[in-house]
Amino acid sequence: MKAAVVESFTAPLVVEDRPVPEPAGRQVLVRMETSGLCHTDVHAAHGDWPVKPGPPFVPGHEGVGIVEAAGERVRHLSVGDRIAVPWLGSACGRCDFCVSGRETLCLEQANTGYSVDGTHAEYALADGDYVMPVPEGIDPLDAAPLTCAGLTTYQAVKVSGACPGSRVLVSGIGGLGHLALQYARISGAETVAVDITDEKLALARELGAGHVLDARTQDVADEVRRLGGADAAICLAVSDESFLAACRALRRNGTLVLVALPAGGSLERPVSETVLDARTVTGSVVGTRQDLAEVFRLHRLGRTRVLRETRRLEDVNLAIDELMSGRMTARIVFDLR
Ligand code: NAD
Ligand code: ZN
Ligand code: ZN
């Protein structure tokens, strides 16, 4: 099978032939139809974060495909089912986080395309208990970005407390941001979208953002404060500077939701500001299997639009360049059919 492989943190990915793996126990073998390119794949390939993956490995955690074979302990899935393979590859299923709807915090989790081989390949192994059936009627090319970009921002918007009458800033209208904007609108909030490329600013307008700000030419915090300040800001841009601007855009009692993970990223603010303005600064990491089921349901109901462009797996390095330029439509997905 063809697979895109990170051989080292300093070299481009290599598309190579690997043997098709065999499922055992609770695993399924998935014949991938498509796999979305998340900015996290680039962080993984560059070894950007303190806990690093071990090359050689296959990145990719927005995988959608068909169950081709199953281990002897898989009961609830059948050969031929269409499933999604998310970032949370598996968890212990027993700890307090796992049993209380916070499985994404499990200390024993495995992460697809990071600690275990991922979905930028013609086949992938996945834990059958942590994959999600893709409902009939959803295009697999849409299901892929929903599996991380959709899931993560669905959860982040919930964490932000977005509701009718609130004002929510979405910073970074890329793969994650274009869906965050839609979930914030579904929640009834007034939305403010921020980006730094003409393409993404146009996309924000097309998706119905209430206000669109260009961080290259406008002072985001000043502009948002002129509107009365943001009740919540969701940080999806891979930039410390954008975190600072989002934080300064908050009104009193506002919530800053950190989602993007720049290499070595940090946010320094005076304690007095957090205390006297009664701010909340929180992180949000992907979402649960239940969240993903809800994300698929909303899409099935026609409430969300996934904007994506297809590329061949052989062009993985070009696709990464495009992602880093911020010029393409919201998400690139590899067509593996
Ligand atoms: P992306 O590259 O598609 O989107 C980032 C967007 O930010 C781009 O549109 C870019 O133009 C814009 N941007 C860059 N600088 C900006 C600035 N100063 N102000 C405003 N916008 C700016 O990336 P993505 O796939 O959406 O991922 C975003 C980040 O989220 C990555 O760091 C990724 O690793 C992280 N992520 C986190 C989670 C989680 O669970 N916390 C899940 C998935 C991805
Ligand atoms: Zn992702
Ligand atoms: Zn656990």
Side-chain angles (χ1 to χ4, degrees):
M1 66 168 194
K2 241 182 327 191
V5 180
V6 175
E7 305 266 7
S8 101
F9 295 137
T10 50
L13 276 70
V14 180
V15 177
E16 61 182 40
D17 242 329
R18 287 189 154 195
V20 177
E22 281 190 19
R26 296 182 198 280
Q27 288 177 325
V28 288
L29 175 67
V30 192
R31 176 165 45 81
M32 303 310 311
E33 298 177 290
T34 181
S35 182
L37 179 63
C38 181
H39 206 119
T40 291
D41 298 333
V42 182
H43 295 304
H46 294 168
D48 275 349
W49 301 335
V51 177
K52 297 183 196 306
F57 69 95
V58 178
H61 56 270
E62 283 188 346
V64 171
I66 305 293
V67 175
E68 174 108 343
E72 64 287 357
R73 297 181 70 188
V74 177
R75 309 245 181 283
H76 63 296
L77 294 169
S78 307
V79 169
D81 288 354
R82 175 170 288 134
I83 55 162
V85 184
W87 169 257
L88 187 70
S90 65
C92 81
R94 295 177 308 275
C95 71
D96 62 328
F97 295 121
C98 279
V99 299
S100 61
R102 294 171 294 165
E103 63 202 27
T104 60
L105 302 179
C106 177
L107 286 162
E108 289 178 40
Q109 68 186 276
N111 296 121
T112 309
Y114 205 86
S115 65
V116 295
D117 277 338
T119 57
H120 293 337
E122 288 175 321
Y123 290 89
L125 286 181
D127 185 320
D129 288 341
Y130 287 83
V131 300
M132 181 55 60
V134 178
E136 207 49 54
I138 296 186
D139 185 329
L141 299 176
D142 286 351
L146 292 173
T147 299
C148 176
L151 171 65
T152 301
T153 54
Y154 180 70
Q155 155 84 1
V157 168
K158 284 202 283 189
V159 166
S160 78
C163 62
S166 67
R167 186 177 298 114
V168 174
L169 172 74
V170 179
S171 172
I173 308 297
L176 267 62
H178 92 289
L179 284 155
L181 188 55
Q182 297 180 61
Y183 296 127
R185 292 191 71 218
I186 290 170
S187 78
E190 176 188 352
T191 53
V192 185
V194 185
D195 208 285
I196 55 162
T197 74
D198 296 341
E199 289 81 355
K200 299 295 171 61
L201 296 169
L203 174 62
R205 281 185 205 100
E206 191 190 323
L207 291 170
H211 313 267
V212 177
L213 299 176
D214 183 345
R216 290 170 301 190
T217 56
Q218 289 172 290
D219 185 313
V220 170
D222 282 355
E223 296 294 334
V224 178
R225 281 203 299 248
R226 241 194 290 283
L227 297 170
D231 296 288
I234 304 174
C235 299
L236 308 167
V238 192
S239 142
D240 284 2
E241 206 187 329
S242 72
F243 296 170
L244 207 56
C247 194
R248 288 181 44 238
L250 290 177
R251 62 196 293 258
R252 288 196 154 187
N253 212 204
T255 300
L256 188 72
V257 185
L258 298 173
V259 176
L261 287 151
S266 73
L267 172 66
E268 276 183 38
R269 298 300 297 153
V271 168
S272 59
E273 182 187 273
T274 305
V275 175
L276 299 176
D277 285 0
R279 278 190 184 158
T280 302
V281 178
T282 182
S284 185
V285 59
V286 290
T288 63
R289 290 168 286 182
Q290 179 58 27
D291 290 320
L292 184 53
E294 290 168 17
V295 161
F296 283 156
R297 215 167 109 220
L298 272 178
H299 192 70
R300 181 84 184 72
L301 290 169
R303 305 288 302 276
T304 47
R305 271 173 73 196
V306 176
L307 293 151
R308 34 76 180 170
E309 294 173 30
T310 55
R311 297 285 182 273
R312 299 176 330 139
L313 190 63
E314 288 80 354
D315 296 327
V316 60
N317 293 305
L318 285 175
I320 289 174
D321 292 345
E322 284 182 90
L323 169 70
M324 297 308 275
S325 77
R327 296 236 106 84
M328 78 306 169
T329 315
R331 203 54 142 191
I332 286 174
V333 294
F334 298 112
D335 194 340
L336 299 158
R337 295 170 295 187

